[in-house]
Amino acid sequence: MNPNARIYVAGHRGLVGSAICRALEAGGYRNLVTRTHAELDLTDQAAVRAFFEEVRPEYVFLAAARVGGILANDTRPAEFIRDNLLIQTNVIDAAHRTGTRKLLFLGSSCIYPKHAPQPIKEEYLLSGPLEPTNEWYAVAKIAGIKMCQAYRRQYGFDAICAMPTNLYGPGDNFDLETSHVLPALIRKFHEAKESGAPSVTVWGTGTPRREFLHVDDLADACLFLMQHYEGEEIVNVGVGEDISIGELAELIRQAVGYTGAVVFDTTKPDGTPRKLLDVGRIHALGWRARIPLAEGIRATVEAYVDSLAAA
Ligand code: GDP
């Protein structure tokens, strides 16, 4: 990618897309193309084709998706499977047809089998049943991976796939009904501190383990892969370490400065017991995550409190 290359970031207002735009701008890329949801509905095939024919981006970061936490995935399965299949099929196909040089597709660690051995290697894909609470999203993302691989095999289209672990960072979704655990807990602890509530409720048993990657690290990895990786194999992007939800709650409690109790609501689902990616492949390519979790959480809490003040 040279600094004048025409680069389309799909989903530029989301957690991942906005971080990719920041990283591209910081890297001196001057020719970014973005469209808001109102300007371009990526589930509309004709609109996506017309956009690609007009703009002809040379590079595409496909960070647009319908995403959400355990509750949203579990209760809105039709939207998760439909919207993701449509968005990715439309964008990958239009990019290939209009001569895009390279496309990066973003998947997720939930594409792997629920009981995959830990840490999860890329080759465990499709080796067992999925976690039922998010299989709709996972099946769509797996179809996206297969589509990239098929277009590479049949048409020689340079589409690569990155599989990030659980992400967090500024600009995250803090809506308690649809968010992931980390932003949800930042909000819950902050609100409890403000209102002087005696306790904060954490869903599940607190024992599931998750790995958390700061979205600025992911964006850095996406630029790195766009520059240095060309291949059919998917590439995990993570930090290589995980913590329990109970430990995460404690870290967030401290970062927020809340002194009350933590209560576990075991009527809520735990989801998959553990989800830690094996990051050997991306380490061998020469990339590593840099932002420590405690530091990333502190910065995310600050950004959240600032955004409340600004609103
Ligand atoms: P997952 O990684 O796909 O399971 O998605 P989540 O980030 O939504 O949930 C991760 C784990 O955190 C699950 O075990 C949840 O039950 C647990 N958890 C605890 N409190 C919360 C909360 O307030 N919101 C969410 N989304 N998850 C929570």
Side-chain angles (χ1 to χ4, degrees):
M1 278 192 307
N2 75 55
N4 294 315
R6 216 165 28 259
I7 304 171
Y8 171 47
V9 180
H12 72 289
R13 283 184 163 171
L15 177 66
V16 173
S18 61
I20 290 175
C21 286
R22 285 197 298 278
L24 286 167
E25 278 157 10
Y29 296 95
R30 301 185 270 269
N31 201 355
L32 304 193
V33 181
T34 57
R35 289 290 184 276
T36 62
H37 195 163
E39 289 165 343
L40 175 62
D41 175 1
L42 293 174
T43 67
D44 177 342
Q45 184 185 41
V48 173
R49 279 207 185 167
F51 164 74
F52 271 84
E53 266 154 25
E54 181 203 325
V55 172
R56 298 194 172 260
E58 297 168 78
Y59 297 88
V60 174
F61 289 87
L62 179 38
R66 176 168 295 280
V67 298
I70 193 164
L71 184 70
N73 266 275
D74 207 20
T75 52
R76 288 151 60 190
E79 289 168 46
F80 275 82
I81 194 161
R82 178 197 59 216
D83 291 352
N84 287 305
L85 284 172
L86 286 172
I87 291 168
Q88 69 205 28
T89 304
N90 291 343
V91 172
I92 295 167
D93 186 64
H96 157 63
R97 284 171 190 269
T98 55
T100 293
R101 296 169 66 154
K102 188 163 189 169
L103 177 146
L104 181 139
F105 174 67
L106 279 142
S108 153
S109 58
C110 71
I111 57 157
Y112 292 112
K114 176 176 177 131
H115 296 295
Q118 308 283 322
I120 307 170
K121 291 187 192 299
E122 288 88 347
E123 50 266 34
Y124 300 161
L125 180 64
L126 292 175
S127 63
L130 298 165
E131 155 61 36
T133 53
N134 59 27
E135 66 178 340
W136 323 97
Y137 177 79
V139 164
K141 286 291 181 185
I142 293 168
I145 293 168
K146 290 293 162 194
M147 187 151 167
C148 289
Q149 293 174 339
Y151 274 50
R152 175 179 294 280
R153 284 195 191 183
Q154 189 175 343
Y155 305 131
F157 182 44
D158 191 2
I160 59 173
C161 302
M163 295 307 119
T165 192
N166 293 39
L167 300 168
Y168 72 98
D172 210 337
N173 169 15
F174 287 87
D175 176 327
L176 296 179
E177 291 290 305
T178 55
S179 67
H180 284 101
V181 59
L182 197 148
L185 293 186
I186 288 179
R187 178 168 175 176
K188 285 181 182 176
F189 280 107
H190 177 74
E191 287 179 355
K193 181 183 163 190
E194 295 289 290
S195 69
S199 66
V200 164
T201 303
V202 175
W203 294 351
T205 58
T207 57
R209 300 185 68 84
R210 295 287 185 275
E211 175 187 19
F212 297 95
L213 177 72
H214 194 283
V215 72
D216 288 341
D217 270 337
L218 173 68
D220 189 56
C222 289
L223 265 64
F224 174 86
L225 291 170
M226 204 54 137
Q227 307 274 25
H228 301 290
Y229 178 69
E230 189 172 311
E232 176 177 312
E233 302 301 331
I234 63 177
V235 182
N236 286 343
V237 188
V239 292
E241 284 168 27
D242 62 359
I243 64 168
S244 72
I245 297 301
E247 289 164 336
L248 176 74
E250 183 54 28
L251 271 181
I252 295 175
R253 190 187 66 72
Q254 286 170 13
V256 170
Y258 174 71
T259 50
V262 176
V263 175
F264 292 94
D265 176 1
T266 54
T267 65
K268 290 284 196 306
D270 267 344
T272 199
R274 194 175 181 205
K275 210 164 29 170
L276 174 63
L277 294 182
D278 183 302
V279 285
R281 184 171 285 166
I282 198 164
H283 282 183
L285 289 167
W287 183 89
R288 264 170 202 277
R290 282 190 286 241
I291 304 172
L293 181 59
E295 188 185 312
I297 287 175
R298 271 197 302 278
T300 308
V301 169
E302 256 175 50
Y304 174 66
V305 174
D306 288 351
S307 74
L308 292 179

mmCIF file of all heavy atoms in Angstrom, residues 95-119:
data_model
loop_
_atom_site.group_PDB
_atom_site.id
_atom_site.type_symbol
_atom_site.label_atom_id
_atom_site.label_comp_id
_atom_site.label_asym_id
_atom_site.label_seq_id
_atom_site.Cartn_x
_atom_site.Cartn_y
_atom_site.Cartn_z
ATOM 1 N N ALA A 95 -15.663 -6.180 -4.658
ATOM 2 C CA ALA A 95 -14.236 -5.837 -4.649
ATOM 3 C C ALA A 95 -13.510 -6.649 -5.724
ATOM 4 O O ALA A 95 -12.733 -6.110 -6.513
ATOM 5 C CB ALA A 95 -13.638 -6.113 -3.268
ATOM 6 N N HIS A 96 -13.796 -7.935 -5.766
ATOM 7 C CA HIS A 96 -13.167 -8.782 -6.794
ATOM 8 C C HIS A 96 -13.544 -8.312 -8.201
ATOM 9 O O HIS A 96 -12.688 -8.161 -9.068
ATOM 10 C CB HIS A 96 -13.596 -10.241 -6.579
ATOM 11 C CG HIS A 96 -13.495 -11.060 -7.819
ATOM 12 N ND1 HIS A 96 -12.283 -11.289 -8.449
ATOM 13 C CD2 HIS A 96 -14.450 -11.650 -8.580
ATOM 14 C CE1 HIS A 96 -12.511 -12.005 -9.539
ATOM 15 N NE2 HIS A 96 -13.799 -12.234 -9.637
ATOM 16 N N ARG A 97 -14.834 -8.057 -8.418
ATOM 17 C CA ARG A 97 -15.289 -7.672 -9.768
ATOM 18 C C ARG A 97 -14.714 -6.355 -10.257
ATOM 19 O O ARG A 97 -14.608 -6.139 -11.460
ATOM 20 C CB ARG A 97 -16.828 -7.535 -9.794
ATOM 21 C CG ARG A 97 -17.545 -8.867 -9.805
ATOM 22 C CD ARG A 97 -19.035 -8.628 -9.598
ATOM 23 N NE ARG A 97 -19.711 -9.887 -9.365
ATOM 24 C CZ ARG A 97 -20.239 -10.630 -10.343
ATOM 25 N NH1 ARG A 97 -20.180 -10.232 -11.588
ATOM 26 N NH2 ARG A 97 -20.831 -11.772 -10.052
ATOM 27 N N THR A 98 -14.410 -5.454 -9.319
ATOM 28 C CA THR A 98 -13.966 -4.121 -9.752
ATOM 29 C C THR A 98 -12.454 -3.936 -9.585
ATOM 30 O O THR A 98 -11.958 -2.818 -9.636
ATOM 31 C CB THR A 98 -14.726 -3.016 -8.988
ATOM 32 O OG1 THR A 98 -14.552 -3.236 -7.584
ATOM 33 C CG2 THR A 98 -16.200 -3.038 -9.310
ATOM 34 N N GLY A 99 -11.739 -5.037 -9.389
ATOM 35 C CA GLY A 99 -10.274 -4.974 -9.461
ATOM 36 C C GLY A 99 -9.547 -4.541 -8.203
ATOM 37 O O GLY A 99 -8.407 -4.079 -8.276
ATOM 38 N N THR A 100 -10.192 -4.687 -7.037
ATOM 39 C CA THR A 100 -9.479 -4.401 -5.784
ATOM 40 C C THR A 100 -8.229 -5.282 -5.714
ATOM 41 O O THR A 100 -8.276 -6.468 -6.046
ATOM 42 C CB THR A 100 -10.410 -4.678 -4.581
ATOM 43 O OG1 THR A 100 -11.466 -3.711 -4.600
ATOM 44 C CG2 THR A 100 -9.674 -4.599 -3.248
ATOM 45 N N ARG A 101 -7.094 -4.683 -5.312
ATOM 46 C CA ARG A 101 -5.834 -5.442 -5.278
ATOM 47 C C ARG A 101 -5.777 -6.383 -4.092
ATOM 48 O O ARG A 101 -5.217 -7.478 -4.187
ATOM 49 C CB ARG A 101 -4.651 -4.483 -5.215
ATOM 50 C CG ARG A 101 -4.564 -3.640 -6.467
ATOM 51 C CD ARG A 101 -3.586 -2.522 -6.292
ATOM 52 N NE ARG A 101 -2.235 -3.063 -6.149
ATOM 53 C CZ ARG A 101 -1.147 -2.394 -6.469
ATOM 54 N NH1 ARG A 101 -1.250 -1.178 -6.969
ATOM 55 N NH2 ARG A 101 0.032 -2.925 -6.296
ATOM 56 N N LYS A 102 -6.315 -5.925 -2.947
ATOM 57 C CA LYS A 102 -6.240 -6.770 -1.761
ATOM 58 C C LYS A 102 -7.362 -6.411 -0.798
ATOM 59 O O LYS A 102 -7.680 -5.222 -0.638
ATOM 60 C CB LYS A 102 -4.890 -6.575 -1.080
ATOM 61 C CG LYS A 102 -4.608 -7.535 0.041
ATOM 62 C CD LYS A 102 -3.132 -7.539 0.362
ATOM 63 C CE LYS A 102 -2.797 -8.656 1.324
ATOM 64 N NZ LYS A 102 -1.347 -8.847 1.443
ATOM 65 N N LEU A 103 -7.927 -7.422 -0.155
ATOM 66 C CA LEU A 103 -9.008 -7.222 0.811
ATOM 67 C C LEU A 103 -8.675 -7.965 2.094
ATOM 68 O O LEU A 103 -8.192 -9.104 2.051
ATOM 69 C CB LEU A 103 -10.321 -7.732 0.207
ATOM 70 C CG LEU A 103 -11.582 -7.690 1.093
ATOM 71 C CD1 LEU A 103 -12.822 -7.389 0.227
ATOM 72 C CD2 LEU A 103 -11.809 -9.002 1.848
ATOM 73 N N LEU A 104 -8.936 -7.308 3.220
ATOM 74 C CA LEU A 104 -8.780 -7.978 4.511
ATOM 75 C C LEU A 104 -10.158 -8.152 5.144
ATOM 76 O O LEU A 104 -10.891 -7.177 5.336
ATOM 77 C CB LEU A 104 -7.861 -7.178 5.440
ATOM 78 C CG LEU A 104 -7.639 -7.855 6.794
ATOM 79 C CD1 LEU A 104 -6.177 -7.720 7.219
ATOM 80 C CD2 LEU A 104 -8.512 -7.259 7.881
ATOM 81 N N PHE A 105 -10.504 -9.406 5.431
ATOM 82 C CA PHE A 105 -11.790 -9.739 6.039
ATOM 83 C C PHE A 105 -11.569 -10.021 7.520
ATOM 84 O O PHE A 105 -10.643 -10.748 7.886
ATOM 85 C CB PHE A 105 -12.372 -10.979 5.349
ATOM 86 C CG PHE A 105 -13.632 -11.509 5.987
ATOM 87 C CD1 PHE A 105 -14.807 -10.765 5.960
ATOM 88 C CD2 PHE A 105 -13.651 -12.761 6.605
ATOM 89 C CE1 PHE A 105 -15.978 -11.262 6.544
ATOM 90 C CE2 PHE A 105 -14.815 -13.258 7.180
ATOM 91 C CZ PHE A 105 -15.980 -12.500 7.144
ATOM 92 N N LEU A 106 -12.423 -9.429 8.353
ATOM 93 C CA LEU A 106 -12.293 -9.649 9.791
ATOM 94 C C LEU A 106 -13.305 -10.665 10.276
ATOM 95 O O LEU A 106 -14.513 -10.503 10.072
ATOM 96 C CB LEU A 106 -12.486 -8.327 10.528
ATOM 97 C CG LEU A 106 -11.203 -7.493 10.511
ATOM 98 C CD1 LEU A 106 -11.505 -6.034 10.346
ATOM 99 C CD2 LEU A 106 -10.391 -7.754 11.764
ATOM 100 N N GLY A 107 -12.829 -11.699 10.916
ATOM 101 C CA GLY A 107 -13.689 -12.708 11.523
ATOM 102 C C GLY A 107 -13.748 -12.490 13.009
ATOM 103 O O GLY A 107 -13.779 -11.343 13.478
ATOM 104 N N SER A 108 -13.707 -13.578 13.755
ATOM 105 C CA SER A 108 -13.850 -13.483 15.203
ATOM 106 C C SER A 108 -13.413 -14.803 15.802
ATOM 107 O O SER A 108 -13.465 -15.848 15.133
ATOM 108 C CB SER A 108 -15.324 -13.237 15.508
ATOM 109 O OG SER A 108 -15.650 -13.720 16.790
ATOM 110 N N SER A 109 -13.024 -14.778 17.085
ATOM 111 C CA SER A 109 -12.599 -16.034 17.706
ATOM 112 C C SER A 109 -13.778 -16.963 17.972
ATOM 113 O O SER A 109 -13.578 -18.147 18.251
ATOM 114 C CB SER A 109 -11.840 -15.756 19.002
ATOM 115 O OG SER A 109 -12.649 -15.022 19.884
ATOM 116 N N CYS A 110 -15.027 -16.468 17.859
ATOM 117 C CA CYS A 110 -16.168 -17.350 18.130
ATOM 118 C C CYS A 110 -16.471 -18.290 16.975
ATOM 119 O O CYS A 110 -17.375 -19.108 17.060
ATOM 120 C CB CYS A 110 -17.399 -16.546 18.499
ATOM 121 S SG CYS A 110 -18.087 -15.679 17.113
ATOM 122 N N ILE A 111 -15.692 -18.201 15.899
ATOM 123 C CA ILE A 111 -15.864 -19.150 14.784
ATOM 124 C C ILE A 111 -15.344 -20.533 15.147
ATOM 125 O O ILE A 111 -15.643 -21.506 14.475
ATOM 126 C CB ILE A 111 -15.081 -18.690 13.533
ATOM 127 C CG1 ILE A 111 -13.597 -18.517 13.894
ATOM 128 C CG2 ILE A 111 -15.683 -17.418 12.966
ATOM 129 C CD1 ILE A 111 -12.667 -18.617 12.754
ATOM 130 N N TYR A 112 -14.560 -20.627 16.214
ATOM 131 C CA TYR A 112 -13.948 -21.916 16.564
ATOM 132 C C TYR A 112 -14.909 -22.769 17.384
ATOM 133 O O TYR A 112 -15.799 -22.251 18.057
ATOM 134 C CB TYR A 112 -12.658 -21.676 17.342
ATOM 135 C CG TYR A 112 -11.568 -21.062 16.493
ATOM 136 C CD1 TYR A 112 -11.125 -19.766 16.717
ATOM 137 C CD2 TYR A 112 -11.004 -21.796 15.450
ATOM 138 C CE1 TYR A 112 -10.126 -19.204 15.925
ATOM 139 C CE2 TYR A 112 -10.006 -21.241 14.651
ATOM 140 C CZ TYR A 112 -9.573 -19.943 14.895
ATOM 141 O OH TYR A 112 -8.601 -19.395 14.112
ATOM 142 N N PRO A 113 -14.712 -24.106 17.362
ATOM 143 C CA PRO A 113 -15.591 -24.990 18.123
ATOM 144 C C PRO A 113 -15.608 -24.633 19.615
ATOM 145 O O PRO A 113 -14.591 -24.217 20.171
ATOM 146 C CB PRO A 113 -14.960 -26.371 17.915
ATOM 147 C CG PRO A 113 -14.199 -26.263 16.639
ATOM 148 C CD PRO A 113 -13.718 -24.848 16.566
ATOM 149 N N LYS A 114 -16.786 -24.828 20.217
ATOM 150 C CA LYS A 114 -16.976 -24.505 21.634
ATOM 151 C C LYS A 114 -15.934 -25.197 22.516
ATOM 152 O O LYS A 114 -15.423 -24.609 23.456
ATOM 153 C CB LYS A 114 -18.381 -24.940 22.049
ATOM 154 C CG LYS A 114 -18.665 -24.750 23.518
ATOM 155 C CD LYS A 114 -20.107 -25.105 23.853
ATOM 156 C CE LYS A 114 -20.294 -24.963 25.353
ATOM 157 N NZ LYS A 114 -21.462 -24.195 25.734
ATOM 158 N N HIS A 115 -15.636 -26.438 22.212
ATOM 159 C CA HIS A 115 -14.696 -27.182 23.064
ATOM 160 C C HIS A 115 -13.350 -27.383 22.384
ATOM 161 O O HIS A 115 -12.691 -28.410 22.579
ATOM 162 C CB HIS A 115 -15.319 -28.509 23.501
ATOM 163 C CG HIS A 115 -16.539 -28.313 24.366
ATOM 164 N ND1 HIS A 115 -16.462 -27.729 25.605
ATOM 165 C CD2 HIS A 115 -17.849 -28.578 24.140
ATOM 166 C CE1 HIS A 115 -17.686 -27.650 26.124
ATOM 167 N NE2 HIS A 115 -18.540 -28.153 25.251
ATOM 168 N N ALA A 116 -12.926 -26.384 21.613
ATOM 169 C CA ALA A 116 -11.611 -26.472 20.956
ATOM 170 C C ALA A 116 -10.524 -26.538 22.016
ATOM 171 O O ALA A 116 -10.632 -25.889 23.061
ATOM 172 C CB ALA A 116 -11.394 -25.244 20.070
ATOM 173 N N PRO A 117 -9.458 -27.329 21.783
ATOM 174 C CA PRO A 117 -8.319 -27.306 22.702
ATOM 175 C C PRO A 117 -7.763 -25.882 22.791
ATOM 176 O O PRO A 117 -7.850 -25.123 21.827
ATOM 177 C CB PRO A 117 -7.290 -28.242 22.039
ATOM 178 C CG PRO A 117 -8.030 -29.017 21.018
ATOM 179 C CD PRO A 117 -9.233 -28.206 20.623
ATOM 180 N N GLN A 118 -7.234 -25.535 23.965
ATOM 181 C CA GLN A 118 -6.720 -24.186 24.201
ATOM 182 C C GLN A 118 -5.198 -24.214 24.313
ATOM 183 O O GLN A 118 -4.672 -25.143 24.916
ATOM 184 C CB GLN A 118 -7.322 -23.627 25.495
ATOM 185 C CG GLN A 118 -8.836 -23.703 25.560
ATOM 186 C CD GLN A 118 -9.510 -22.631 24.729
ATOM 187 O OE1 GLN A 118 -9.044 -21.504 24.668
ATOM 188 N NE2 GLN A 118 -10.618 -22.978 24.088
ATOM 189 N N PRO A 119 -4.468 -23.225 23.853
ATOM 190 C CA PRO A 119 -4.943 -22.129 23.023
ATOM 191 C C PRO A 119 -5.362 -22.624 21.637
ATOM 192 O O PRO A 119 -4.886 -23.658 21.173
ATOM 193 C CB PRO A 119 -3.722 -21.200 22.955
ATOM 194 C CG PRO A 119 -2.535 -22.070 23.162
ATOM 195 C CD PRO A 119 -2.994 -23.172 24.068
#
